[in-house]
Every structure is written in C-alpha cells, then in structure tokens.
Amino acid sequence: MNDSAHRTLFHPFETGDIAPPASGARALFLGAVPDFRLPEGFAAELAAVQGYRPHFLGLQRRGIPATPTIEDSGYDLSLVLLGRHKGENFRRLAGALRATRAGGLVLVAGGKADGVDSFRRKVAKALPLAGSLSKYHGVAFWLQRPDDTGLAVSGLADPPAPSLVDGRFATAPGMFSHDRIDAGSRLLVDNLPKLKGHVADFGAGWGYLSAELLRRGDELAALDLYEADFPSLEAAKQNLSAWAGGVPLAFHWRDLRSEPVPRRHDAVVMNPPFHEGRAAEPAIGADFVRAASQALKPGGRLYLVANRGLPYDKVLEAGFAASGETCRDARFKVLWARR
C-alpha cells in the first residue's frame, strides 16, 4: 500500500469537495492504519476495521475503537483504504457498501502504484461515481450507497478465484500465497523430521504447515497456530477442521514481533515473512527467530525455511545452543536450531 494513501483518502475533506461529517454521524474506516489524521471538522464517531494485528494494536494505542471485521451496519459514511490485492479491495468495497446506510457516502482511496486507477474504472462501470481527485501519488473517489446493495455488489464481482488450493485449502486474495502452495513451505515439509509434543506454527497463514503435520500423523500433544493476519487465521481454522482428529488446536491472532507467546513448546516450525509492503525486511524474520527462541523449552527445536540470501545465521547462533542447515535448492534453504 502507498504510505500516503491515507492522506489521499482524507484530501476531499480538505479541499471542500466533501463536507466533514458532523457530530452524531457514524463512520466506518476499512483498512485503517495507525498513522492517519482526521481532517478539521471531522466529528463523526469512528469505528476502524483492521485485520492485520500490528496495525490493529497501533490503532488501540491511539485509543481508536477497532475490530478485525465489520461488526455493525447503518453507517453514514464508510472510508475504504485500498491495498495491493485487487480481489481483497473488491471485497473491502463490497463490505463498505453493505455496512453503509442507503444514500450514505462511500469514500475510497489507494496508491497509483497499487492499481487504484484501474480499480476506479471498474467500479465506475458498475456504480455511478460522485467525484474523484488525485493527490499524494494516489486517487480518491466517492459514491453514494445505492438502495440495492445486492445489485451493486454483484456488479463489482471479479472473476472467481480457484475454489481450493491443492483441492483442500480455502484461501482468499491478500493472504500469503493465496493461489498456490508456497514452494518454500513445501520444501520445509518435505524435510521435517517427525515431531512430537507441543508444537507451534509461527506465521501460520492459512494453515498449510500445520495441516501437513496433522496429515502426517506426527505425535502431537497440541498444535498452536500464530498469525498476524486475521482472515488468514480464520481460513486456517476452516482448513484444519478436517485434520485435527484428537490433537488440541489453538489459534492465536498475534504479532510475534511485539506480543509474547503464552506457552512453551517442544518444537516450532515456520516460514517467516520478510516483506512489509513492497520492501524486503529481513529484520522481520530475525524477530521471528528470536520469538521462537523464547517460546521453546530447553532442548526444543526450531525448523524454518528461508530464501537462500536471507542472513539468519547470526541470530540463530545468538539465540540457540546449536544450529545448522538441513538442505537447500535453487531458491530456499531449510534451517534447524536447538534451544
């Protein structure tokens, strides 16, 4: 997402193209980020929706009421901040249309580099736009919520995504590797020893690694999934329901970089993220490794996969008694460590 997109979103209020909502009005903010600033005169009661845990926590620290999903309807105004994934953006706009009262305003903004121009053109084919402007390398456009939201939402429908990844995993655009099993995760699964005891999946996504542990029949006493993206965690719950058997499962919506893990584990598996937005940030994966070190029992094992060029060796040496490399291919390496 363009870091300036939230400024673009509120620019129509600053130019006077849209009057700021008065006291007593209710506004919904989908995709809210912690660093937004309301324009002068914006007096509506604001409800933020943010499923990415670090941003959710940032909103909470500012005292802004936030939930991971839309929990009410009848809003006078809905603000929609777009991201990079077209399918996710259409669903976000559809949610805003359903949550806004008839005749209410829906204001949308995104970065030009993230495809907001093509998104606006497609929306304009289905719904009449009331206005549009460009600012801060982004575009904002707005429309009135029509009486028939069903017709409006159907007009926005994108070509359907594949029903299930590998014939068994429900996913959605915006999730990591939503249209295929990630090659790195598959390499990790193919080279994991049999695990037993209390096991954790860090950055579990929609549940592939955990599902494979359950499918293999490892001697698991319990399996805990930790994931920062709320929709992905909800998908994991669905995807693991058929495989759990007698293994107790726990699903934790958590930012592993800032929130502690509530229990100690015998093993941790992970394919840690190393991007936030477009930029590569190896520090994210390094923080996951440190979190795993703190979450493991003495003698516990960490198994992870990473891009070959990512420098995790020093952080593994600092946090573990022993570590090494299991294998590598042209793109990835599988690493292990013992607490």
Side-chain angles (χ1 to χ4, degrees):
M1 183 185 69
N2 173 9
D3 290 340
S4 300
H6 62 93
R7 297 172 64 195
T8 306
L9 181 67
F10 291 106
H11 192 63
F13 297 109
E14 297 167 353
T15 61
D17 288 272
I18 300 176
S23 177
R26 298 169 64 240
L28 179 69
F29 189 177
L30 292 167
V33 291
D35 53 350
F36 77 90
R37 292 291 180 270
L38 292 174
E40 186 176 352
F42 192 107
E45 176 188 346
L46 185 67
V49 175
Q50 177 53 259
Y52 180 53
R53 184 74 175 178
H55 288 170
F56 173 87
L57 294 173
L59 292 165
Q60 282 197 326
R61 285 191 291 270
R62 285 189 57 188
I64 297 169
T67 57
T69 58
I70 300 172
E71 295 190 351
D72 206 350
S73 61
Y75 290 96
D76 303 291
L77 166 69
S78 285
L79 308 167
V80 182
L81 191 59
L82 302 178
R84 294 173 56 191
H85 301 278
K86 182 174 64 173
E88 182 181 28
N89 289 336
F90 279 115
R91 285 201 311 278
R92 192 171 288 178
L93 177 55
L97 288 166
R98 294 188 185 100
T100 308
R101 64 170 176 81
L105 193 70
V106 178
L107 171 61
V108 183
K112 291 182 178 179
D114 293 331
V116 66
D117 283 313
S118 62
F119 185 83
R120 176 186 56 177
R121 287 193 294 269
K122 179 148 190 178
V123 173
K125 291 179 181 179
L127 295 165
L129 302 187
S132 175
L133 57 78
S134 299
K135 189 70 174 179
Y136 306 120
H137 307 289
V139 174
F141 63 91
W142 54 97
L143 60 143
Q144 282 191 313
R145 189 270 213 187
D147 292 335
D148 188 344
T149 56
L151 183 62
V153 169
S154 65
L156 293 172
D158 227 24
S163 55
L164 293 173
V165 171
D166 200 39
R168 54 193 172 120
F169 296 109
T171 70
M175 300 177 187
F176 171 69
S177 193
H178 78 276
D179 57 350
R180 66 195 182 283
I181 294 173
D182 175 68
S185 295
R186 192 188 294 275
L187 182 67
L188 176 58
V189 166
D190 289 344
N191 290 278
L192 276 177
K194 287 288 186 179
L195 303 181
K196 61 182 179 179
H198 292 266
V199 177
D201 182 352
F202 277 15
W206 40 262
Y208 170 69
L209 291 180
S210 290
E212 290 299 282
L213 293 179
L214 294 169
R215 186 183 64 83
R216 297 187 332 170
D218 288 15
E219 298 177 19
L220 306 182
L223 180 58
D224 288 50
L225 287 79
Y226 296 85
E227 172 56 44
D229 181 61
F230 189 84
S232 295
L233 193 64
E234 291 297 293
K237 292 178 184 179
Q238 176 181 344
N239 292 331
L240 267 62
S241 61
W243 297 100
V247 178
L249 302 179
F251 299 86
H252 307 271
W253 185 41
R254 194 159 300 231
D255 176 16
L256 288 168
R257 302 184 74 191
S258 68
E259 296 181 285
V261 172
R263 69 190 302 179
R264 294 294 172 261
H265 300 278
D266 297 294
V268 172
V269 298
M270 64 179 180
N271 181 356
F274 62 95
H275 283 90
E276 187 156 17
R278 296 182 183 276
E281 295 189 31
I284 299 174
D287 285 344
F288 269 58
V289 171
R290 295 185 187 97
S293 175
Q294 296 172 2
L296 284 166
K297 299 174 183 178
R301 301 284 181 137
L302 167 65
Y303 302 95
L304 72 143
V305 65
N307 282 31
R308 286 179 53 160
L310 290 176
Y312 292 150
D313 296 346
K314 291 188 182 301
V315 69
L316 286 169
E317 291 172 4
F320 293 85
S323 61
E325 181 177 310
T326 302
C327 66
R328 64 172 57 203
D329 64 13
R331 297 174 58 198
F332 304 103
K333 57 187 176 183
V334 174
L335 306 174
W336 65 269
R338 175 172 52 81
R339 183 76 168 86

